Amino acid sequence: MASEQHKGHNFVDVTENYKTMKDNIKKDTEGLENHISPTYEEIELDIETQLANLDGGYKKLTTTMSKQGEQWHREIDIVINKMKTEINEIKVKHRDILKKHLNEIKQTQSLIKQTIQAIRIIEKSTEVSSTIEYSSKVREFSKLPPKVKVTMPTFIPKPIDREKLYILFGEISPLSTATEDNVLSLNQPNTSVRELLDEPKLVTTIQTGYKNLCSVTCLNEDRIWTSGLTNDIKCFNIKCSLLQAIKTKSEESPNDITVNSDGELLYCDGTDGTVNIVKNGQTKMLITLPEEWAPNQLCVTSTGDLLVTMFSVDKTQSKAVRYSGSTEKQTVQFDDNGQPLYSGNDAVKYITENRNRDICVADWVAGVEVVVNQDGKLRWRYTGHPSAIKNEPFEPWGVTTDRQSHILTADGDNDCIHILDQNGQFLRYIDNCDLKGPTGLCVDNNDNLLVCEYYKSNVKKIKYLK
């Protein structure tokens, strides 16, 4: 009897298990047919569409390159025609110089011929008076004119740097594969677009102890270097603890500080015209400027070069110079019309390089932000944004850029930060974090802004991106 009951229970279990499995199979079939398979079909169709559009998309790229090439050819033709015009103008001056001297020689020759005729008349004459009154002209004409040698101009073709041409011509963004969950970039880290916060937020305030605070630079996300109007350069962590302090070799305050890609501190010293680097606790001179120039502000570029603003000792000229190590590579001083790009004085001119390799200089005295491309050609100037609540003239101090190619500039007298896009268009102010006299600026690896307050000597960390 018990055995029959056991068999009955087994039969019920198998029946229920069979029914459950049938339900599961039905659900799987519905899921595969109604959801999973259609989704795969959509993905398949999307990839097929991308393949179908592949040739057209790449053709657009090559067409754009061809148009860029045509524009370059036009610009080269313009340069050549301009040089030919200059040569023709020089040729006209050359001809005028030679004609002038030729006319002078002909005039002298004419006088010589007249003198010879007069002498022959006197020679044949029997008049006593004309012979006695004769005055020799030989000494006068013996003073021969100098030989005129006008050197023709020369054209010195510069060597073609194919690698630099490749960089100047344009940039091909790296190939990337996107999914809903992540973005894989083969050649560079993810730099997705981040929007500005509706209201920037003050994250923390670091008290530095300076009487006047001028510059700040990020060593990493947790540590910063600062400098003011003393010979101390101080390193703090984000929790406001002083970690290290070094003194300048000249025992005078540094004009500016920055950090290179190896985390080494650099500072410029206006008293002896040098840029110095601190390696393993030892300070070494990296660059010595010519005697007639003094360093102003510093910036390390994305390629490891060093940009230095400087002013002439007589305070009449200013310029920006690019160095590779201690070798001067580029000077930015004049626009295409030969006019100075920057005001001539010893006032601070903070400098930074944007992500698109534009060079940005904040010219405080002139009240203008001057931006040139990597070749030193003027792109645009920014003289402030009209505002009913900003009563003081725009006087830019510190300047920095972020990974979104925003340009951020300290406006000390209006106690705010201007945020511009890479083309100089005003986006917004940062004016809600109780800033007082903002001067030096930098951004950390997460694009948080660090602001020096000149008189309060605080560094404020501000989050302004979403």
Side-chain angles (χ1 to χ4, degrees):
M1 184 71 177
S3 176
E4 289 179 357
Q5 289 179 345
H6 180 71
K7 288 180 179 178
H9 282 301
N10 286 342
F11 178 77
V12 171
D13 291 342
V14 170
T15 302
E16 289 179 354
N17 188 38
Y18 174 80
K19 185 179 179 181
T20 300
M21 293 303 295
K22 278 288 189 181
D23 290 340
N24 289 341
I25 291 170
K26 184 179 179 181
K27 289 178 182 177
D28 283 358
T29 303
E30 290 176 351
L32 287 167
E33 288 181 344
N34 299 332
H35 300 290
I36 296 177
S37 182
T39 302
Y40 271 85
E41 289 175 359
E42 289 177 4
I43 295 172
E44 179 185 6
L45 179 61
D46 179 66
I47 294 175
E48 287 178 346
T49 302
Q50 290 185 54
L51 283 169
N53 294 332
L54 197 66
D55 289 341
Y58 277 88
K59 185 175 181 181
K60 286 182 180 179
L61 284 177
T62 55
T63 300
T64 302
M65 289 179 186
S66 296
K67 288 182 179 179
Q68 174 77 336
E70 292 170 2
Q71 184 175 344
W72 268 45
H73 283 299
R74 286 194 296 270
E75 292 297 326
I76 289 172
D77 288 339
I78 290 171
V79 169
I80 292 172
N81 290 332
K82 183 179 179 181
M83 284 189 169
K84 286 181 178 180
T85 301
E86 292 176 5
I87 289 173
N88 286 332
E89 291 173 352
I90 294 172
K91 183 174 73 174
V92 170
K93 292 179 181 179
H94 193 155
R95 181 182 284 114
D96 289 344
I97 291 170
L98 292 177
K99 282 186 174 181
K100 177 177 177 292
H101 285 279
L102 180 62
N103 289 335
E104 291 175 354
I105 294 298
K106 287 184 175 180
Q107 289 175 5
T108 303
Q109 284 182 314
S110 177
L111 290 173
I112 291 172
K113 289 179 180 180
Q114 293 176 16
T115 301
I116 291 172
Q117 290 177 355
I119 290 174
R120 284 177 176 170
I121 292 172
I122 294 173
E123 188 179 8
K124 295 177 180 180
S125 173
T126 57
E127 292 183 7
V128 175
S129 60
S130 59
T131 301
I132 294 173
E133 293 173 357
Y134 169 74
S135 175
S136 176
K137 300 289 185 180
V138 172
R139 182 180 294 274
E140 178 182 342
F141 291 126
S142 294
K143 295 179 181 179
L144 299 176
K147 288 185 178 181
V148 179
K149 183 65 175 178
V150 183
T151 305
M152 287 187 63
T154 59
F155 173 69
I156 304 172
K158 294 187 177 180
I160 297 174
D161 188 334
R162 186 171 297 172
E163 184 176 346
K164 186 175 182 180
L165 281 177
Y166 187 88
I167 294 172
L168 293 176
F169 186 78
E171 182 178 354
I172 301 173
S173 62
L175 186 67
S176 64
T177 303
T179 68
E180 290 184 358
D181 297 324
N182 64 352
V183 177
L184 172 64
S185 179
L186 301 182
N187 293 331
Q188 62 183 26
N190 181 13
T191 55
S192 58
V193 175
R194 297 174 62 187
E195 296 180 356
L196 296 171
L197 284 174
D198 294 333
E199 185 173 346
K201 299 176 182 178
L202 178 61
V203 177
T204 188
T205 299
I206 301 172
Q207 298 177 344
T208 65
Y210 291 102
K211 184 177 181 180
N212 299 111
L213 181 62
C214 301
S215 298
V216 60
T217 186
C218 289
L219 179 60
N220 52 43
E221 292 180 14
D222 182 60
R223 299 185 180 189
I224 60 172
W225 283 101
T226 60
S227 67
L229 298 184
T230 71
N231 66 339
D232 291 319
I233 305 175
K234 302 177 183 179
C235 181
F236 293 88
N237 66 16
I238 210 66
K239 295 180 180 179
C240 309
S241 298
L242 177 62
L243 303 177
Q244 186 180 359
I246 66 170
K247 294 185 180 295
T248 60
K249 291 176 67 176
S250 68
E251 299 187 356
E252 297 292 334
S253 60
N255 287 13
D256 195 21
I257 58 174
T258 191
V259 173
N260 65 19
S261 59
D262 294 325
E264 296 163 335
L265 177 69
L266 293 92
Y267 71 87
C268 59
D269 195 326
T271 57
D272 59 6
T274 62
V275 177
N276 302 277
I277 185 168
V278 182
K279 290 187 176 185
N280 301 319
Q282 300 296 315
T283 302
K284 297 181 179 179
M285 186 175 62
L286 179 65
I287 299 168
T288 301
L289 271 60
E291 291 184 0
E292 63 270 22
W293 290 95
N296 196 315
Q297 304 289 308
L298 302 173
C299 164
V300 174
T301 72
S302 58
T303 58
D305 290 341
L306 184 66
L307 292 172
V308 184
T309 56
M310 58 185 71
F311 58 89
S312 59
V313 175
D314 62 7
K315 302 177 184 179
T316 62
Q317 301 179 70
S318 296
K319 62 182 179 180
V321 178
R322 181 189 297 272
Y323 290 90
S324 176
S326 59
T327 303
E328 183 176 329
K329 289 177 61 178
Q330 180 188 24
T331 297
V332 180
Q333 187 173 6
F334 302 104
D335 62 19
D336 287 341
N337 298 317
Q339 297 300 310
L341 288 165
Y342 316 114
S343 59
N345 47 62
D346 62 347
V348 291
K349 292 178 179 64
Y350 286 91
I351 187 169
T352 190
E353 181 195 57
N354 204 357
R355 188 175 178 83
N356 62 1
R357 296 190 180 177
D358 283 350
I359 301 170
C360 315
V361 172
D363 194 335
W364 165 58
V365 169
V368 61
E369 183 107 26
V370 182
V371 176
V372 302
N373 65 18
Q374 61 182 332
D375 293 319
K377 301 296 183 182
L378 178 65
R379 282 201 63 211
W380 48 267
R381 289 183 172 96
Y382 174 76
T383 56
H385 182 68
S387 172
I389 59 174
K390 308 300 178 189
N391 301 318
E392 299 298 328
F394 175 60
E395 292 184 348
W397 284 73
V399 60
T400 190
T401 62
D402 61 22
R403 286 180 291 182
Q404 314 299 311
S405 291
H406 293 136
I407 300 170
L408 299 95
T409 305
D411 187 349
D413 288 350
N414 288 298
D415 296 326
C416 67
I417 308 295
H418 297 237
I419 303 181
L420 314 178
D421 68 14
Q422 63 181 355
N423 297 313
Q425 297 301 308
F426 175 82
L427 299 178
R428 65 160 300 153
Y429 292 116
I430 298 177
D431 55 2
N432 66 320
C433 297
D434 192 30
L435 292 173
K436 299 297 181 184
T439 51
L441 305 178
C442 73
V443 293
D444 64 17
N445 294 336
N446 291 322
D447 279 343
N448 294 304
L449 178 65
L450 292 153
V451 185
C452 294
E453 291 184 300
Y454 183 75
Y455 298 105
K456 296 170 71 174
S457 294
N458 295 328
V459 174
K460 286 186 172 179
K461 182 178 180 178
I462 298 172
K463 180 179 176 64
Y464 65 97
L465 294 174
K466 292 181 180 178

